[in-house]
Amino acid sequence: MNKIRILSILILIIFSSSNINCQNRAHRYSAFHPGKIWKDSDGNHINAHGGGIYYEDGTYYWYGEHKGDDSKAHVGINVYSSKDLYNWKKEGIALAVEKDPNSEITAGSVMERPKVIYNKKTGKYVLWFHLELKGKGYSAARTGVAISDTPTGPFKYLKSYRPNARKWPKNFKESSKREFKKGEIGEWWTDQWKKNLLEGSFVRRDFEEGQMSRDMTVYVDKDGTAYHIHSSEENQTLHISELTDDYLNFTGNWVRVQAGGQNEAPAIFEKDGKYYMVTSGLTGWDPNAARSFVADSIMGKWSALGNPAEGKDADKTFHSQSTFILPVEGKDDAFIFMADRWKPNNHIDGRYIWLPIEWENGKPIIKWKDEWDLSFFDEN
Ligand code: GAL
């Protein structure tokens, strides 16, 4: 009787541990499956939307918006780590919302599109993100900055900006550098409004307070200079601004890019000395056709290359919106286009579309793949 008991306990143990193994195995990935549920090492769908990646010493860190069923920040910015880009471990909350109702990052604010860069001079990790103040919709249009001594945080919130207050863009006409006159915006969407916009009516309107900053990314150039790239002027025009040496402030050196071009969700990468940018148009959570641009330097001039997506659903960027372009470590010319397939009715279910950048006649191209892995870059 005892023997039977011991034997059945043993069988139970073996069965349950093999079951655990099975579960673990189920969450080990060796390929990307764009648009599918992507589980972290605990078995939960990764919660890192509008994200960006920072790489150091064999580890990738993925920062992204924690989302519940709505799009507000109730938790903060999550960070995950990975050695192989397929399997991600949740490291925790990089930057948590604050309880204090007077804090700019109080629960219920909007914290979007977090991006982390490392500052060699100060030894600090610097996190920038799009901040909207609680209860004010998207009208604050600010960018927030936080720092940490480690890539996983916790990051300490420093402050937020309307960038470049009292600074004219470098590529602004002398005649445009004038005081804002009430009424010079004009009636929205009319030809006159567009003409005024191109000539800088919104820049003049926001000259004292600082320029609007919504969808954004940050980029560190080869010489260590960092740039903040954001949708401004009521999302009509991109601004590219140089950051100070410590990456915590704006130098006031900035340019307008594609004035009136209505770009958001910017993502930048560099190949063979040329800079490429992918953006989306302005349709909120709904997908639209991506755009691509090329320049010889970050500050421009940026020239349009057209929609980088090809094939079925290219006009909707495969139902996604750009967020980051990741250079794969140790591989030449290997870049991953990272995008969000938003689920505005249940944000936590938002999916990740990661696809390799391909090239055709010097143009970055994105094609759909149900499944792919990093060997793609060795074969193509
Ligand atoms: C999108 C933007 C998202 C979020 C959303 C809000 O266009 O890319 O980051 O801000 O609008 O509607």
Side-chain angles (χ1 to χ4, degrees):
M1 185 64 185
N2 249 351
K3 267 190 190 158
I4 292 174
R5 233 173 152 173
I6 289 169
L7 202 71
S8 51
I9 287 171
L10 266 175
I11 288 171
L12 243 172
I13 289 172
I14 290 166
F15 181 74
S16 58
S17 77
S18 78
N19 223 5
I20 288 167
N21 281 339
C22 268
Q23 263 177 18
N24 280 344
R25 256 205 306 276
H27 304 142
R28 274 261 11 119
Y29 296 97
S30 49
F32 302 109
H33 304 92
K36 294 271 155 45
I37 286 283
W38 193 350
K39 292 181 176 179
D40 66 13
S41 53
D42 297 326
N44 301 313
H45 180 47
I46 293 172
N47 198 336
H49 310 268
I53 288 186
Y54 167 73
Y55 172 86
E56 183 180 293
D57 282 347
T59 303
Y60 295 91
Y61 297 92
W62 177 358
Y63 304 85
E65 306 158 15
H66 170 282
K67 290 226 185 283
D69 50 4
D70 70 8
S71 71
K72 305 265 166 46
H74 299 292
V75 170
I77 288 157
N78 282 336
V79 54
Y80 292 77
S81 70
S82 172
K83 302 260 182 221
D84 62 8
L85 290 174
Y86 310 121
N87 298 286
W88 293 89
K89 172 175 178 280
K90 184 160 185 199
E91 294 286 349
I93 305 166
L95 177 65
V97 295
E98 292 175 357
K99 285 208 187 89
D100 177 357
N102 297 316
S103 161
E104 289 188 338
I105 58 164
T106 194
S109 61
V110 169
M111 295 162 77
E112 292 182 336
R113 301 192 171 270
K115 306 287 176 305
V116 168
I117 51 181
Y118 175 69
N119 188 286
K120 286 190 185 135
K121 287 195 180 123
T122 60
K124 302 280 183 201
Y125 297 84
V126 181
L127 162 62
W128 284 92
F129 61 99
H130 170 198
L131 172 71
E132 294 293 346
L133 304 176
K134 183 175 178 180
K136 301 212 164 144
Y138 277 79
S139 65
R142 303 184 74 83
T143 184
V145 64
I147 51 170
S148 164
D149 293 326
T150 60
T152 49
F155 281 75
K156 182 173 171 286
Y157 180 65
L158 294 182
K159 63 182 290 186
S160 70
Y161 294 93
R162 271 290 188 96
N164 300 314
R166 305 195 54 75
K167 302 282 182 196
W168 294 118
K170 284 283 166 314
N171 56 354
F172 218 37
K173 277 204 238 132
E174 277 311 308
S175 57
S176 293
K177 298 180 185 171
R178 55 179 197 259
E179 209 178 311
F180 177 69
K181 295 256 174 339
K182 211 168 163 252
E184 75 161 284
I185 299 289
E187 196 189 324
W188 274 69
W189 310 121
T190 59
D191 289 349
Q192 188 59 45
W193 167 86
K194 183 74 184 262
K195 188 168 177 286
N196 298 343
L197 153 72
L198 296 180
E199 287 170 6
S201 53
F202 288 119
V203 175
R204 283 189 290 280
R205 183 194 69 184
D206 295 336
F207 185 70
E208 295 293 333
E209 187 195 354
Q211 301 298 318
M212 300 177 93
S213 179
R214 290 204 182 110
D215 276 11
M216 47 70 63
T217 191
V218 284
Y219 184 81
V220 180
D221 204 355
K222 284 173 284 189
D223 65 358
T225 310
Y227 298 87
H228 189 284
I229 299 101
H230 55 273
S231 270
S232 193
E233 301 178 34
E234 305 286 352
N235 295 347
Q236 301 300 308
T237 299
L238 280 174
H239 291 181
I240 300 190
S241 308
E242 187 186 67
L243 293 176
T244 50
D245 277 3
D246 57 9
Y247 300 169
L248 301 178
N249 206 334
F250 292 81
T251 63
N253 179 20
W254 69 284
V255 289
R256 298 172 83 205
V257 173
Q258 298 282 320
Q262 307 191 314
N263 289 287
E264 57 180 10
I268 287 192
F269 68 107
E270 183 260 335
K271 177 173 141 35
D272 301 334
K274 285 201 185 298
Y275 298 87
Y276 296 88
M277 176 160 57
V278 176
T279 66
S280 75
L282 313 181
T283 50
W285 304 117
D286 295 332
N288 54 53
R291 297 99 180 266
S292 63
F293 304 89
V294 63
D296 292 327
S297 86
I298 298 279
M299 294 299 249
K301 189 173 189 266
W302 290 87
S303 318
L305 293 176
N307 183 355
E310 276 187 0
K312 188 172 172 281
D313 294 335
D315 59 336
K316 295 272 188 277
T317 319
F318 315 112
H319 300 277
S320 72
Q321 186 185 28
S322 47
T323 185
F324 197 73
I325 291 169
L326 173 69
V328 179
E329 285 301 318
K331 287 188 191 284
D332 284 340
D333 299 340
F335 300 94
I336 299 177
F337 171 75
M338 292 169 50
D340 292 280
R341 181 174 288 174
W342 302 109
K343 295 281 178 84
N345 295 327
N346 182 21
H347 272 280
I348 195 172
D349 188 36
R351 305 297 171 86
Y352 309 101
I353 306 300
W354 287 26
L355 292 167
I357 301 260
E358 304 180 51
W359 295 90
E360 271 172 30
N361 307 321
K363 253 189 75 174
I365 298 292
I366 307 159
K367 292 183 192 163
W368 179 257
K369 290 173 182 45
D370 288 331
E371 180 180 330
W372 67 283
D373 63 46
L374 295 174
S375 68
F376 177 87
F377 294 115
D378 307 327
E379 290 151 13
N380 289 274

